[in-house]
């Protein structure tokens, strides 16, 4: 009887542990809070320069291209609007920034609303064939998939010379910093490095990749050294090397086909 009772308690403990473990399958991934957005720069170098200044202060900032073609800088993950305002005003008084905008947390799409999708950034696919662009526009029309929003956001970076934090970070951070910036714009915070990003999210096989999934490369799963954002048709957007333009590449290219280590999904 005592042994039976022990077995029942042990079984219950195992079930409870499994249940609590499954409650947070994406450790290291969280919803982004309020952020501070600065600038409407016509030249990307101005946005890059401000980003570098903020990075020197220990502020994890990134720049991006807005729908109107101007560049802006965004940073911060604050729990309340008041906290974001306080930090922005302090930076203004320190002469670090000028006019600013407080970006509220992004409402992730649900089955009850399509509001976020309608406000999604318009894709910039000038470097892609017209046929591909048409297919993607049809696929995302009225779609509630945040992955599609991430993919279209990533495409808007194509052609931008990207440096994650200017010259203040080590080589190899640009690709993961770019992925992190895109996900930040989608309201999701993911880890900083490609290795940490690889260890989170749901594993996705190449044949099951969907828009917005991250694709990883390296010599082994323990030596991940590059990451990109999948945008469909076997292609992904990435920051190839430090200071190079953001570009679209194919998973079928010999280098990437050889080094492909798998995909991860976070939405």
């Amino acid at each position: 009887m005592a042994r039976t009772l022990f077995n029942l308690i042990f079984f219950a403990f195992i079930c409870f542990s499994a249940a609590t473990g499954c409650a947070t399958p994406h450790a290291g991934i969280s919803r982004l809070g309020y952020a501070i957005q600065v600038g409407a720069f016509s030249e990307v170098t101005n946005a890059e320069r401000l980003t570098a200044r903020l990075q020197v202060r220990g502020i994890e900032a990134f720049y991006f291209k807005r729908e109107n073609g101007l560049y802006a800088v965004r940073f911060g993950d604050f729990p309340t609007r008041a906290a974001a305002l306080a930090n922005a005003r302090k930076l203004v008084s320190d002469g670090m920034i000028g006019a600013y905008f407080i970006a509220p947390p992004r409402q992730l799409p649900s089955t009850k609303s399509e509001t976020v999708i309608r406000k999604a950034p318009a894709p910039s696919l000038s470097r892609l064939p017209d046929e591909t662009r048409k297919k993607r526009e049809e696929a995302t029309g009225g779609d509630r998939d945040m992955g599609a929003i991430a993919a279209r956001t990533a495409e808007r970076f194509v052609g931008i010379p990207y440096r994650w934090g200017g010259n203040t970070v080590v080589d190899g951070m640009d690709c993961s910093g770019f992925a992190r910036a895109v996900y930040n714009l989608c309201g999701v915070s993911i880890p900083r490095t490609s290795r940490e990003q690889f260890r989170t999210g749901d594993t996705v096989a190449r044949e099951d990749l969907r828009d917005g999934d991250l694709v990883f490369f390296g010599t082994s799963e323990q030596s991940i050294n590059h990451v990109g954002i999948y945008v469909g048709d076997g292609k992904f957007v990435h920051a190839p090397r430090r200071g190079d333009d953001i570009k679209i590449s194919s998973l079928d290219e010999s280098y990437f086909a050889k080094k492909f280590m798998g995909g991860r999904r976070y939405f």
Side-chain angles (χ1 to χ4, degrees):
M1 180 67 179
R3 184 174 181 79
T4 301
L5 180 61
F6 173 80
N7 289 337
L8 287 172
I9 294 174
F10 181 76
F11 177 74
F13 174 77
I14 293 297
C15 290
F16 176 76
S17 299
T20 54
C22 292
T24 55
H26 298 163
I29 301 174
S30 62
R31 292 282 299 278
L32 199 70
Y34 290 86
I36 301 170
Q37 183 170 309
V38 182
F41 304 107
S42 58
E43 298 292 334
V44 66
T45 52
N46 293 329
E48 181 187 325
R49 191 176 300 113
L50 175 57
T51 299
R53 288 181 60 201
L54 292 167
Q55 289 277 5
V56 169
R57 287 276 299 258
I59 299 171
E60 189 178 4
F62 65 91
Y63 57 93
F64 64 99
K65 191 175 186 180
R66 296 169 55 188
E67 293 178 62
N68 59 8
L70 299 178
Y71 297 90
V73 176
R74 187 176 290 193
F75 57 93
D77 181 7
F78 304 99
T80 65
R81 180 179 178 83
L85 279 170
N87 277 269
R89 288 166 180 165
K90 176 66 166 58
L91 290 171
V92 170
S93 66
D94 290 345
M96 290 292 298
I97 64 173
Y100 60 84
F101 163 74
I102 302 300
R106 185 175 189 128
Q107 178 187 354
L108 297 185
S110 67
T111 57
K112 298 179 180 179
S113 173
E114 296 181 6
T115 302
V116 175
I117 297 299
R118 294 192 186 108
K119 293 182 180 179
S124 176
L125 302 176
S126 57
R127 293 172 178 256
L128 294 178
D130 291 340
E131 182 179 350
T132 301
R133 183 177 67 248
K134 183 177 180 181
K135 286 181 179 179
R136 293 183 186 177
E137 288 173 349
E138 291 174 352
T140 56
D143 201 329
R144 297 186 179 90
D145 186 7
M146 279 301 295
I149 295 178
R152 303 295 78 81
T153 301
E155 287 167 341
R156 207 167 70 212
F157 280 79
V158 171
I160 297 176
Y162 206 80
R163 294 179 181 84
W164 181 251
N167 298 316
T168 64
V169 293
V170 298
D171 288 348
M173 276 293 291
D174 285 338
C175 62
S176 59
F178 164 64
R180 184 169 162 85
V182 170
Y183 270 64
N184 262 320
L185 288 173
C186 295
V188 177
S189 177
I190 61 175
R192 288 179 57 89
T193 70
S194 56
R195 292 181 187 178
E196 292 171 327
Q197 292 167 359
F198 183 77
R199 290 195 292 265
T200 60
D202 296 324
T203 301
V204 183
R206 175 169 172 170
E207 60 270 20
D208 297 322
L209 287 170
R210 294 203 311 246
D211 282 3
D213 291 342
L214 295 190
V215 288
F216 295 88
F217 308 89
T219 55
S220 70
E221 292 190 355
Q222 290 71 43
S223 302
I224 300 296
N225 56 22
H226 195 61
V227 60
I229 300 175
Y230 189 73
V231 294
D233 299 324
K235 294 181 172 57
F236 63 99
V237 179
H238 64 128
R241 61 183 62 84
R242 191 158 178 72
D244 199 356
D245 290 0
I246 298 295
K247 65 176 62 174
I248 295 175
S249 296
S250 172
L251 291 173
D252 292 327
E253 293 177 28
S254 58
Y255 176 84
F256 295 116
K258 181 179 178 180
K259 302 239 177 185
F260 181 68
M261 288 290 114
R264 293 293 184 269
R265 185 170 299 152
Y266 307 89
F267 295 112

